[in-house]
Amino acid sequence: VQLQASGGGLVQTGGSLRLSCAASGRTFSNYAMGWFRQAPGKERELVAAITGRGHSQYYTDSVKGRFTISRDNVKNTMYLQMNTLKPEDTAVYYCAAGSQMHSLLGYTAHEDNVDAWGQGTLVTVSS
């Protein structure tokens, strides 16, 4: 599967952005999907993930109540709605596909079982 992320940009504190990740090449609904982010000098971290049919979602604690992950399996696209953005949300955001949720939830820099990565999209939140 090939992934193309878009939607990043510059926003003020408290603002909103919606990221999109368009998939092609394989049956989209077969994949769990996720959004990771990497801030300068920090490791890449999982922000949110969603199962293949969208029935279950995961959020890291710092974004709960502010970010919403969703997917449209007809359009082969995943989204991340980001509200009430904070300067600490500033990072390059990557979309990713995994054969199962464990592939995404268990990601570390030393154990990468992610099937595919999209190119990053930069989100900058100004204070």
Side-chain angles (χ1 to χ4, degrees):
V1 64
Q2 291 79 47
L3 305 175
Q4 179 77 29
S6 61
L10 174 64
V11 64
Q12 292 185 333
T13 296
S16 298
L17 281 174
R18 188 175 82 155
L19 305 183
S20 298
C21 178
S24 62
R26 292 289 181 97
T27 303
F28 183 59
S29 61
N30 286 348
Y31 291 93
M33 297 294 295
W35 288 99
F36 288 75
R37 66 186 179 188
Q38 188 165 20
K42 294 189 177 181
E43 292 191 349
R44 190 173 297 189
E45 65 168 345
L46 178 64
V47 174
I50 188 168
T51 53
R53 297 189 182 277
H55 295 317
S56 296
Q57 299 86 37
Y58 160 87
Y59 297 95
T60 194
D61 285 346
S62 62
V63 308
K64 285 180 180 177
R66 300 189 298 122
F67 290 11
T68 302
I69 190 170
S70 62
R71 65 190 296 161
D72 184 331
N73 286 348
V74 174
K75 295 182 178 179
N76 289 350
T77 303
M78 173 183 63
Y79 305 97
L80 185 68
Q81 178 66 44
M82 305 185 294
N83 297 329
T84 319
L85 282 161
K86 305 175 181 180
E88 51 264 43
D89 295 318
T90 295
V92 177
Y93 283 71
Y94 299 88
C95 58
S99 57
Q100 51 187 328
M101 282 288 271
H102 282 302
S103 303
L104 304 175
L105 296 173
Y107 167 84
T108 69
H110 305 289
E111 187 171 354
D112 181 357
N113 292 314
V114 171
D115 284 48
W117 292 96
Q119 92 292 0
T121 186
L122 177 63
V123 173
T124 304
V125 184
S126 63
S127 57

